[in-house]
Amino acid sequence: MNEGERLTELAKRRGFYFPAAGAYGGAAGFWTYGPQGAALKDNVEDAWRDRFVVQAGHQEISAPDVMPEPVFKASGHLDGFDDMIIECGECGATHRADHIVEDNTDIEEAESLPNEEVMEIIADHDIPCPSCQASLADEPVDNFNLMFETNIGPGTSSPGYLRPETAQGIFVEFPQLSEYARNQLPFGVAQIGKAYRNEISPRKSLVRVREFTQAELEHFVDPEEDEPPLEQVADVTLPLYSGESQEAEDGGVERLTVREAVDEGVITSDWVAYYLGVARDWYERIGIDMDRFRFRQHLPGELAHYASDCWDAEAEIDGDWIEITGFAYRGDYDLQKHAEHSGEDYTVFKQYDEPVTVERPTVDPDMSYLGPEFGGDAGAVADALEALAETDPDAFDGEDVTVEVDGEEATVPVEQTGFSVEEVTENGEHITPHVVEPSFGVGRLIYTVLAHAYREDEVDGEERTYLELPPEQAPTTVGVFPLMDRDGLGEYARELAEALRRAGHSVTYDDSGAIGRRYRRQDEIGTPYCVTVDYESIGEPKDGEDPDDLRTDTVTLRERDSTAQKRVSIDGLAETVGRLVDGDVAFDDL
């Protein structure tokens, strides 16, 4: 049983996650989080929100899962949100073509290759269909759009889509959101929510699914003035697998500080470098093993249409590297596209420190000339002249000026354009912000945290499985047990469990079976501490003895990883557990 299979078995048995709708045969790519998994998911999301929203001073929103078609036409998803698909001519099964190549060759990032090259590789290696083993040589490799389509309202007149990323719910609302930020750059808008992709080949449990949760931050910045606080993360060491290293025969991971990576040009965007530094420490906080972690730069063929530079945070599981976060400098692509398609203003006004006088080229075309000359295209010609005056005023230096309208050239005498250069005093300018985006896959984070926390050892001659989760992330903080459910021990333990819950701790109460088995159950779900109420806690009198004289008002507190135990006072127990979880005190120091 490999690491992934072992983890999936534990996850189902202990209530972390399992395939959805199993009673009806299930549906590939959909998973239900059980009680432990839902709690772990909440804790990971809370930790993300704490670092990337609260501490960073950003806003958070919650946008709809379904959005109208024009949103995704503007964003480019309708035309370019595709994966490679290949269909077996023998059995009709469809597969992700780049995954088949990666599974059967030494090529690691087949997604970055053109479809034609992937088809050639499949033919050259005579790669068989995973379902029926028939040869896939010469089968075409096509593009498959991953979005789920639906209709908004009755009929088919209002097509919509389940969002393939949460980001567009932020971008499309930028005009309103910028007002909430008082149009002051930089500002960030975050969102944690569901996204949907109709994956060709869902696999590896939570790694490749059709419904998943994203935690995304869109940080809007002035590209000319805003700089990240690099000094805060300058000394953080990053494991970097650059594009240059990936293409070199002997390339590998290079460990550089954030400052070194920026100064040496390994990371070209200061903002991306800043967020890699912030995220690296956050990954360690939630329990990702830094010896099984790297940042990998996208190769040119992988870069999304909107990104000038992109790095993935990747974690190793079962010898494979899986993406858990993407860090992209998206430029102004998204806001420009939504402005173009919606006709709304997606800029912010940048106030100058002092008014400035500038020369402003303008045109005032003579429509009595353009109308007869260009007919129905006259308005478009006038618009083209105005745009040209802004971008290339020198084009009006000659007797004629030429613009392009719908692929056709239109030449206009300069004297008919009304071209002039005027001096104007300006107090500021409208700019389109650039966007820095860290995008976290919550399900993949959970899968990685569980895989990296899995441990096996031997305690008192018995094999033990436990999850070495950071106490902050553990689904349950403390288990409370009576040594046995009699003589008032159970009642006392239940009261103690309620008191710990009222103090804000996640508590489970268990009086079933031997105490050792109860410990093992909590170890397997990662509960960091267990409390046992015994006869010493409440006093066990013999004939003629006063129980109040025997009562210690202490319990046994057990630590998960070491299985060490200590007697601690019931008075202040909730505070003690809180200090342990927060790292303010070590168990050995109690």
Side-chain angles (χ1 to χ4, degrees):
M1 186 181 294
N2 64 30
E3 187 174 14
E5 293 168 341
R6 186 177 60 201
L7 181 59
T8 299
E9 186 276 330
L10 172 65
K12 182 177 181 180
R13 180 162 49 84
R14 288 303 183 197
F16 282 96
Y17 56 85
F18 49 87
Y24 293 90
F30 296 93
W31 294 79
T32 294
Y33 287 94
Q36 305 302 327
L40 175 60
K41 182 173 181 286
D42 285 345
N43 290 344
V44 169
E45 291 173 2
D46 287 345
W48 185 87
R49 182 177 286 111
D50 173 65
R51 182 62 189 89
F52 292 93
V53 183
V54 178
Q55 292 187 37
H58 296 317
Q59 308 175 32
E60 182 177 359
I61 69 165
S62 178
D65 290 4
V66 176
M67 304 189 79
E69 183 179 66
V71 171
F72 301 110
K73 181 65 176 176
S75 67
H77 284 89
L78 283 183
D79 300 323
F81 196 67
D82 305 314
D83 275 343
M84 303 178 192
I85 189 171
I86 187 168
E87 182 175 346
C88 176
E90 186 71 24
C91 70
T94 56
H95 306 283
R96 183 86 179 257
D98 52 321
H99 287 174
I100 288 177
V101 167
E102 292 167 2
D103 292 343
N104 291 274
T105 72
D106 294 331
I107 298 172
E108 293 185 358
E109 300 297 334
E111 184 181 7
S112 65
L113 303 176
N115 289 13
E116 296 76 11
E117 187 173 344
V118 170
M119 183 177 173
E120 291 174 4
I121 294 171
I122 291 173
D124 291 343
H125 289 78
D126 196 22
I127 296 176
C129 168
S131 300
C132 71
Q133 301 306 306
S135 176
L136 293 174
D138 301 325
E139 296 293 347
V141 174
D142 299 315
N143 288 329
F144 174 74
N145 193 283
L146 300 179
M147 287 200 296
F148 284 101
E149 186 175 5
T150 186
N151 292 307
I152 300 174
T156 59
S157 59
S158 298
Y161 293 86
L162 294 174
R163 62 187 184 187
E165 61 178 12
T166 64
Q168 298 307 319
I170 297 174
F171 293 137
V172 75
E173 308 298 353
F174 176 81
Q176 187 71 41
L177 296 173
S178 64
E179 287 189 17
Y180 298 147
R182 300 183 306 282
N183 289 301
Q184 298 296 308
L185 295 175
F187 70 89
V189 181
Q191 181 169 200
I192 299 176
K194 292 293 183 68
Y196 307 84
R197 298 180 185 179
N198 196 12
E199 291 285 349
I200 297 167
S201 303
R203 59 180 186 171
K204 294 184 179 179
S205 67
L206 300 183
V207 174
R208 191 162 295 279
V209 293
R210 288 175 168 141
E211 177 192 78
F212 55 98
T213 300
Q214 285 184 307
E216 292 194 301
L217 170 65
E218 311 303 330
H219 198 162
F220 301 98
V221 302
D222 181 341
E224 299 296 327
E225 292 188 1
D226 293 334
E227 296 181 356
L230 276 181
E231 67 280 355
Q232 295 179 6
V233 295
D235 296 329
V236 174
T237 299
L238 307 176
L240 301 175
Y241 192 29
S242 67
E244 183 178 345
S245 292
Q246 293 171 61
E247 294 175 336
E249 291 186 5
D250 58 348
V253 171
E254 185 178 12
R255 297 187 180 276
L256 300 173
T257 66
V258 172
R259 175 59 63 193
E260 290 168 342
V262 170
D263 289 347
E264 296 176 22
V266 177
I267 304 175
T268 59
S269 165
D270 287 5
W271 278 105
V272 170
Y274 168 72
Y275 275 113
L276 296 189
V278 171
R280 186 267 175 222
D281 285 350
W282 182 79
Y283 292 129
E284 189 169 34
R285 166 183 168 182
I286 66 169
I288 291 177
D289 185 349
M290 288 296 105
D291 291 331
R292 303 170 67 185
F293 173 85
R294 71 186 184 189
F295 290 109
R296 187 186 66 83
Q297 187 176 31
H298 278 206
L299 297 171
E302 293 179 86
L303 280 175
H305 54 273
Y306 51 72
S308 59
D309 191 20
C310 187
W311 290 75
D312 286 343
E314 296 184 331
E316 181 273 321
I317 299 174
D318 271 333
D320 294 330
W321 290 93
I322 65 169
E323 175 195 348
I324 56 177
T325 307
F327 299 82
Y329 189 89
R330 298 179 74 127
D332 62 1
Y333 173 88
D334 301 279
L335 298 187
Q336 290 279 19
K337 285 296 183 181
H338 284 300
E340 175 186 333
H341 283 76
S342 69
E344 296 293 322
D345 184 7
Y346 280 76
T347 66
V348 296
F349 185 73
K350 178 180 176 180
Q351 185 83 30
Y352 295 150
D353 293 335
E354 298 287 342
V356 296
T357 300
V358 298
E359 292 184 340
R360 181 72 64 204
T362 63
V363 294
D364 184 16
D366 184 353
M367 299 306 294
S368 65
Y369 171 82
L370 297 187
E373 186 70 19
F374 300 106
D377 291 333
V381 171
D383 292 340
L385 289 170
E386 182 177 355
L388 183 63
E390 293 180 3
T391 59
D392 185 15
D394 293 341
F396 293 82
D397 287 346
E399 294 184 359
D400 299 316
V401 61
T402 299
V403 294
E404 186 174 302
V405 175
D406 294 333
E408 300 289 334
E409 289 188 346
T411 300
V412 182
V414 171
E415 63 181 13
Q416 302 295 341
T417 67
F419 176 80
S420 64
V421 178
E422 301 174 353
E423 284 193 352
V424 295
T425 298
E426 297 181 342
N427 295 311
E429 62 180 319
H430 287 272
I431 65 169
T432 302
H434 283 202
V435 179
V436 189
E437 179 194 69
S439 175
F440 295 71
V442 174
R444 292 187 179 192
L445 287 169
I446 290 170
Y447 185 78
T448 302
V449 166
L450 288 174
H452 287 190
Y454 187 93
R455 304 284 187 272
E456 292 179 349
D457 65 1
E458 187 175 294
V459 175
D460 297 330
E462 293 185 4
E463 292 185 357
R464 177 179 74 134
T465 297
Y466 68 103
L467 296 176
E468 195 176 330
L469 295 169
E472 180 190 29
Q473 303 307 313
T476 302
T477 306
V478 57
V480 177
F481 316 139
L483 186 63
M484 53 189 67
D485 192 11
R486 69 185 188 193
D487 300 329
L489 293 177
E491 180 181 357
Y492 194 91
R494 283 187 286 270
E495 291 176 357
L496 182 58
E498 284 301 316
L500 289 170
R501 290 190 185 104
R502 288 195 298 272
H505 296 298
S506 175
V507 180
T508 186
Y509 172 85
D510 189 358
D511 57 18
S512 174
I515 192 71
R517 294 295 176 88
R518 284 181 265 169
Y519 284 147
R520 299 294 182 270
R521 286 197 287 268
Q522 294 306 309
D523 290 344
E524 252 192 339
I525 63 172
T527 303
Y529 306 105
C530 289
V531 170
T532 301
V533 176
D534 54 22
Y535 286 107
E536 187 177 344
S537 302
I538 64 171
E540 182 184 13
K542 297 179 182 179
D543 291 341
E545 290 181 322
D546 185 347
D548 290 337
D549 293 338
L550 303 173
R551 184 168 180 153
T552 63
D553 286 324
T554 63
V555 291
T556 298
L557 181 64
R558 176 185 182 269
E559 197 265 341
R560 175 198 62 209
D561 299 342
S562 66
T563 72
Q565 300 184 14
K566 292 195 174 189
R567 298 296 298 189
V568 298
S569 172
I570 293 174
D571 185 27
L573 178 61
E575 181 182 355
T576 298
V577 171
R579 294 177 66 206
L580 287 168
V581 171
D582 293 340
D584 295 335
V585 64
F587 186 83
D588 290 342
D589 295 333
L590 291 179

